[in-house]
Amino acid sequence: MEAQRALVMTANLGSIFDENEMEAQWFSAFEQVVEAVNPVVVALHLQEVGGKDYEISMPKVDSFVSKMLTIKSMARLNRLRGYLDKDFKCVDQFTALGSLFFFDSNLPEVELWDNNEGSFFPLPNHTCICCCDGTSSDGTYVKQKFPTDFFPGVKWSRKGFLATKWRIGGNIFHFVNIHLFHDESNFVAMQKSPSDYSSYRKAALSHVMNRLKDMVRNDEALFLYGDFNFRLDLQSVVKYLTHGHSTHHVRLDSGESSRIVYRDSSQDALIIEKKGFHISDDLPFTRNFVELLPFDLELKQFSHLKELPVSFQPSYPFSERIEQGCMYLPKRCPAWCDRILMNDAAVRLVQQVSMGCATFTI
């Protein structure tokens, strides 16, 4: 396969559809990335399509995709195949996932796998957006919403995965979009190591890998990327950040902690609540983030999955206010939730065609 530039990208759109200004900023950043990379393929995975208020905002999704096609740097990438799960009324199957694949009009040998036919077919030279609803018989994707018993205590979620299979330039690619469970309570997350939430994510990801076992051959490239909600091992991180500090519990009448305060000699250095993580100095998560990589353990449970070196600060939870976009929300311990994972075949292919120039960044 002749070396070509490709952009593999994931984005959680949870707040994009609620704020027009944020959408404009997103498109501006997206355009800059595409212009800088100048790819012939863009494989974009989206989570929380339609936003948090999806019943109200879902009609905006089509115009969102249309705007992408009007971006100047996307002019050559006018062959689009998209998959959008927008049918929120189909409660048992709704995942709010979206996978969009843009190809240069001159890129030859682009084929898509049809599970119904058991064969590849040439990608047409026009835009096609498939609705991944509960009634679709389209065989060009595999989608599943995770059963609720994967995440005990949660009555409903939109978490799941969406898989497609391609042959591009003679090489086979599997692109799997995924959204795993979040941490519901900081108190529960720090009770033990690994946390219950980490165990739930491990079980869900193991389920996906078992589903893919019969679909992906060892010599076929697998790119598994999206919002994994991977978190730092909170119990260990808190011990690291508060070494030598005094600990104070603020309790409810029931005796349960409503707040844990860690104090140094001069101030409250860290305050933890069920949905609060207030740190007086965020340097460990910004300029000194490398020191926290040893606490990023969830991927290590899957030795057969690899990623390029992490060279950026945690991608979550940045503020949803435009003027504070580089600041973290004081609700969760910052973490690398958004990941691009590969099997060995994908790693070899990336190394072969990029000659060491591939990058993983935000």
Side-chain angles (χ1 to χ4, degrees):
M1 178 180 182
E2 182 182 351
Q4 300 279 12
R5 288 181 175 269
L7 176 61
V8 176
M9 180 177 177
T10 180
N12 187 312
L13 302 180
S15 302
I16 295 295
F17 298 98
D18 303 327
E19 299 286 344
N20 291 333
E21 187 177 356
M22 187 176 293
E23 180 182 295
Q25 292 277 9
W26 191 93
F27 274 111
S28 176
F30 178 76
E31 182 172 15
Q32 290 176 34
V33 171
V34 174
E35 191 171 314
V37 176
N38 191 29
V40 296
V41 178
V42 174
L44 173 62
H45 283 177
L46 306 172
Q47 302 83 44
E48 296 195 37
V49 166
K52 297 174 182 176
D53 297 324
Y54 51 85
E55 293 186 17
I56 298 173
S57 301
M58 196 61 77
K60 299 179 182 179
V61 173
D62 291 340
S63 62
F64 180 87
V65 175
S66 296
K67 287 180 185 177
M68 298 187 74
L69 293 170
T70 65
I71 294 175
K72 184 178 180 181
S73 56
M74 295 284 287
R76 293 184 300 105
L77 301 160
N78 54 11
R79 298 165 68 191
L80 166 61
R81 181 78 175 199
Y83 299 89
L84 297 171
D85 187 1
K86 302 186 297 179
D87 188 7
F88 56 83
K89 294 181 180 179
C90 189
V91 178
D92 293 339
Q93 299 185 42
F94 178 54
T95 64
L97 292 173
S99 297
L100 303 176
F101 303 94
F102 302 85
F103 298 92
D104 188 299
S105 56
N106 296 317
L107 184 66
E109 300 180 37
V110 179
E111 299 172 291
L112 182 58
W113 178 263
D114 188 327
N115 291 290
N116 295 334
E117 300 295 329
S119 60
F120 287 100
F121 67 92
L123 185 71
N125 287 316
H126 60 77
T127 293
C128 179
I129 305 293
C130 304
C131 295
C132 305
D133 58 30
T135 62
S136 175
S137 59
D138 190 334
T140 62
Y141 69 90
V142 174
K143 186 197 78 171
Q144 183 188 7
K145 177 179 177 176
F146 295 129
T148 54
D149 59 5
F150 276 28
F151 192 24
V154 172
K155 296 180 180 179
W156 184 85
S157 78
R158 291 172 287 174
K159 307 302 191 292
F161 75 93
L162 173 63
T164 59
K165 178 179 178 180
W166 302 80
R167 186 161 61 194
I168 306 171
N171 288 276
I172 294 178
F173 297 84
H174 296 261
F175 294 114
V176 182
N177 189 352
I178 191 168
H179 194 185
L180 295 180
F181 309 109
H182 61 281
D183 282 13
E184 180 65 21
S185 166
N186 290 327
F187 293 145
V188 174
M190 64 187 292
Q191 279 178 354
K192 59 183 181 179
S193 173
S195 73
D196 286 340
Y197 301 124
S198 175
S199 299
Y200 302 154
R201 287 188 285 271
K202 179 182 178 182
L205 184 51
S206 296
H207 170 79
V208 174
M209 297 310 297
N210 285 332
R211 284 289 307 270
L212 295 175
K213 189 182 300 181
D214 296 330
M215 299 167 55
V216 184
R217 295 184 353 186
N218 290 336
D219 60 342
E220 297 174 350
L222 167 65
F223 290 85
L224 174 63
Y225 57 109
D227 184 355
F228 290 80
N229 263 312
F230 284 169
R231 306 301 171 95
L232 302 184
D233 186 84
L234 191 57
Q235 185 181 87
S236 301
V237 169
V238 170
K239 288 180 180 179
Y240 172 77
L241 294 173
T242 62
H243 178 71
H245 295 42
S246 60
T247 305
H248 306 267
H249 291 261
V250 178
R251 300 187 184 278
L252 302 172
D253 292 340
S254 63
E256 294 182 88
S257 291
S258 65
R259 175 178 292 188
I260 304 175
V261 182
Y262 299 89
R263 294 175 181 158
D264 60 19
S265 58
S266 60
Q267 64 179 339
D268 293 345
L270 176 63
I271 300 174
I272 295 179
E273 300 163 325
K274 179 180 179 180
K275 295 187 177 182
F277 190 88
H278 310 267
I279 191 165
S280 61
D281 184 358
D282 66 359
L283 281 180
F285 300 101
T286 53
R287 280 184 286 178
N288 301 335
F289 68 84
V290 174
E291 298 177 10
L292 296 176
L293 286 172
F295 305 110
D296 180 40
L297 301 174
E298 295 198 38
L299 178 56
K300 289 180 170 56
Q301 301 174 96
F302 297 87
S303 59
H304 53 293
L305 292 174
K306 310 293 193 304
E307 67 182 341
L308 295 176
V310 175
S311 59
F312 52 88
Q313 68 187 73
S315 60
Y316 169 90
F318 283 118
S319 173
E320 297 174 356
R321 298 177 61 179
I322 296 297
E323 66 276 13
Q324 298 178 346
C326 294
M327 300 173 62
Y328 290 115
L329 287 172
K331 63 177 185 177
R332 304 290 186 201
C333 176
W336 289 275
C337 293
D338 310 284
R339 313 295 275 255
I340 298 175
L341 309 183
M342 300 170 283
N343 66 356
D344 289 335
V347 172
R348 288 194 297 269
L349 186 61
V350 168
Q351 293 173 340
Q352 174 187 338
V353 301
S354 69
M355 294 182 291
C357 295
T359 57
F360 177 36
T361 187
I362 56 174

